[in-house]
Amino acid sequence: MDVKIQPRSLSGNVKAIPSKSQAHRALICASLAADNLSFIECSGDSNDIEATASCLRALGAEIRRENQNDQSSEGYFVRPLEKNQNDISVSLPCVESGSTFRFLLPIVCALGKKTNFLLEGRLPERPISPLYEELSKKGCKLSPKGLNPFCTEGKLSPGIFELDAGVSSQFISGLLFALPLLEADSKIHLKGRVESFPYIEMTLAMLEIFKIKIEFKENIFYIKGNQKYISPEKLRIEGDWSNAAFWLAAAALGENAVTCEGLDLQSKQGDKAVINILEKFGANIKKHGSSVTVSGGKLRGAEIDARDIPDLVPVLAVAACAAQEQTVIRNAGRLRIKESDRLEAVSSVLRALGADIRVTDDGLIINGGSSLTGGEVSSWGDHRMAMSAAVASILCSQQVVIKDAQAVNKSYPGFFDDFRLLGGSITII
């Protein structure tokens, strides 16, 4: 699907979609629960969330979409999987979801399941070291890295796991889900500075909801074995700050205000930082209850450390195009191993629209202050690139055409519907 967008400011109210990151974690914990049924209130769906649900179904959980309370509460009913080991090989369709693959890999090893992970897009190329080596040392037989399907067999043994904390927080989260299931205690030693620590905090918060106890001090996680996941029976997924960021940034670029509703201002989601960064740029921010309203101002360049907020980089780069002077984004090198090489993708898309932007070793430099022209760009098969290009249209003097815009389905299938709701002019070509 290709779309054509006419330049126009957005305004109005939009409801934040449920957090994809929290939904992954809730579905996994509910599926591992000790015979406790769960209802996870989650009004939206996406390709990534469905990938996790499909894999958990294949492992033996019952997961179905349903409504409760006279249709007022939509979400997932979850009956936990049976954890008995068997020799039947299970195929797990991860599609392009890195979270699904990296979370479930240590879990199936802890359960002793023989599995074939089915991977699509760039997922087979994305790194799984040092998690791969640690699982191999502890009794698991794994396919060579990069193979697709990626196969596992054997049962994970408890012990001491050592991980470079600067590669992916998803490796750490996967082990945090898995190790409480083992028969004895384990430790995770983290080496170096932890990247994207807010995502690990989200994992710990979800584990606490399901009564799993983990201690963390001096870069070591202490995990007791033989723990049981206890479901709270009902759980509501909070609004997604990562995707709300597109509407909040769009408001900073335009002439009118946009209010995004259904956000938790006390959330552990790291991308909540978007409101502080937009304020640093010079946007006007108002917080009221569970809503945030943003309106434009005279934007100025900023220094941005993206170590804990990599998913915000594409749309923050768009905002930087409207700012006077220079914006420098640092510590974003891990974006090269996402659904696309996001540093190159962001630079390519914004240059094609008329921006003055260049890639550095670990980030971007954007010289803002001039209008963009518009033109035709590729989504790079990346949901965040498609959404960022749509937001960039606000700054353009001519129309923007986004090729393969269906990439938004990975995290936000209703993105273009909400874009129209806020006054955007979109035509499907």
Side-chain angles (χ1 to χ4, degrees):
M1 176 183 80
D2 301 340
V3 299
K4 178 170 63 178
I5 305 177
Q6 301 298 333
R8 184 180 297 178
S9 292
L10 304 185
S11 64
N13 291 34
V14 64
K15 185 173 177 59
I17 64 171
S19 166
K20 178 166 71 82
S21 296
Q22 196 181 47
H24 282 303
R25 289 160 170 80
L27 285 169
I28 287 170
C29 289
S31 296
L32 294 174
D35 302 324
N36 303 95
L37 307 183
S38 304
F39 180 73
I40 300 171
E41 187 178 337
C42 182
S43 58
D45 200 356
S46 69
N47 289 354
D48 276 10
I49 296 174
E50 182 53 34
T52 291
S54 294
C55 290
L56 292 169
R57 289 187 195 105
L59 287 169
E62 180 185 348
I63 301 177
R64 64 175 186 269
R65 295 284 295 177
E66 65 174 38
N67 292 296
Q68 287 194 342
N69 302 328
D70 298 324
Q71 309 297 308
S72 63
S73 180
E74 179 187 359
Y76 294 94
F77 168 86
V78 182
R79 186 185 299 276
L81 56 88
E82 294 184 7
K83 303 176 186 66
N84 295 331
Q85 184 176 351
N86 57 57
D87 293 328
I88 300 173
S89 183
V90 179
S91 292
L92 305 182
C94 295
V95 198
E96 293 185 72
S97 176
S99 295
T100 303
F101 179 39
R102 290 165 165 179
F103 289 168
L104 291 182
L105 176 55
I107 290 171
V108 299
C109 291
L111 296 174
K113 297 282 189 180
K114 186 184 292 186
T115 59
N116 301 310
F117 285 95
L118 309 178
L119 315 176
E120 296 181 16
R122 293 187 78 203
L123 191 50
E125 306 165 26
R126 294 174 67 179
I128 54 172
S129 290
L131 178 62
Y132 181 96
E133 287 75 14
E134 291 301 297
L135 297 177
S136 298
K137 290 176 187 175
K138 299 294 193 301
C140 301
K141 184 178 179 182
L142 309 176
S143 291
K145 286 179 281 188
L147 200 67
N148 187 24
F150 183 88
C151 305
T152 75
E153 59 179 289
K155 194 171 190 311
L156 188 64
S157 299
I160 297 174
F161 296 76
E162 296 185 348
L163 293 178
D164 179 349
V167 180
S168 174
S169 66
Q170 293 171 346
F171 299 159
I172 300 165
S173 287
L175 285 173
L176 291 174
F177 289 127
L179 298 182
L181 300 171
L182 302 182
E183 62 275 10
D185 300 351
S186 297
K187 297 178 185 178
I188 306 174
H189 286 239
L190 303 183
K191 299 178 179 178
R193 193 182 190 282
V194 182
E195 299 281 352
S196 298
F197 191 72
Y199 286 102
I200 298 173
E201 290 184 305
M202 289 183 70
T203 300
L204 293 172
M206 188 60 67
L207 288 169
E208 186 175 359
I209 290 172
F210 281 81
K211 309 302 182 185
I212 298 295
K213 298 186 182 301
I214 293 174
E215 291 185 38
F216 181 59
K217 55 185 177 182
E218 298 179 353
N219 265 28
I220 300 175
F221 288 100
Y222 297 86
I223 303 109
K224 292 286 186 183
N226 279 321
Q227 295 194 56
K228 289 186 178 181
Y229 284 76
I230 307 297
S231 171
E233 297 184 3
K234 188 168 184 178
L235 175 65
R236 182 180 177 275
I237 301 300
E238 64 187 38
D240 193 312
W241 281 97
S242 301
N243 284 307
F246 292 97
W247 308 128
L248 302 178
L253 303 179
E255 302 170 352
N256 305 304
V258 171
T259 297
C260 196
E261 304 168 346
L263 294 168
D264 182 357
L265 294 173
Q266 305 305 315
S267 174
K268 292 187 179 297
Q269 295 178 54
D271 289 344
K272 180 181 65 175
V274 66
I275 54 178
N276 295 328
I277 296 171
L278 291 176
E279 201 164 35
K280 187 177 180 180
F281 271 127
N284 301 304
I285 311 288
K286 293 182 181 179
K287 309 168 195 174
H288 35 104
S290 61
S291 298
V292 176
T293 299
V294 177
S295 56
K298 186 176 181 181
L299 303 188
R300 54 188 176 272
E303 298 267 337
I304 299 172
D305 184 343
R307 189 184 303 274
D308 289 333
I309 51 165
D311 287 342
L312 292 181
V313 168
V315 77
L316 291 178
V318 175
C321 292
Q324 298 297 318
E325 302 176 346
Q326 189 177 85
T327 294
V328 179
I329 300 175
R330 296 191 174 92
N331 295 320
R334 287 178 303 121
L335 288 175
R336 295 188 182 278
I337 54 172
K338 295 287 188 175
E339 286 83 349
S340 65
D341 178 338
R342 280 193 183 146
L343 293 182
E344 291 295 340
V346 169
S347 179
S348 173
V349 166
L350 292 181
R351 271 202 313 271
L353 297 177
D356 181 356
I357 180 172
R358 65 183 175 87
V359 179
T360 65
D361 287 343
D362 73 339
L364 298 164
I365 295 176
I366 305 103
N367 295 307
S370 58
S371 297
L372 304 184
T373 53
E376 182 176 295
V377 297
S378 169
S379 73
W380 288 62
D382 187 328
H383 53 136
R384 299 199 191 279
M385 293 313 310
M387 293 187 280
S388 295
V391 172
S393 70
I394 296 168
L395 298 173
C396 295
S397 57
Q398 301 173 35
Q399 71 182 22
V400 172
V401 173
I402 306 172
K403 308 290 287 184
D404 298 321
Q406 74 278 1
V408 300
N409 293 336
K410 181 174 172 61
S411 66
Y412 196 165
F415 175 81
F416 290 115
D417 293 332
D418 285 345
F419 196 91
R420 287 192 185 96
L421 176 69
L422 294 172
S425 174
I426 297 180
T427 304
I428 298 176
I429 304 174

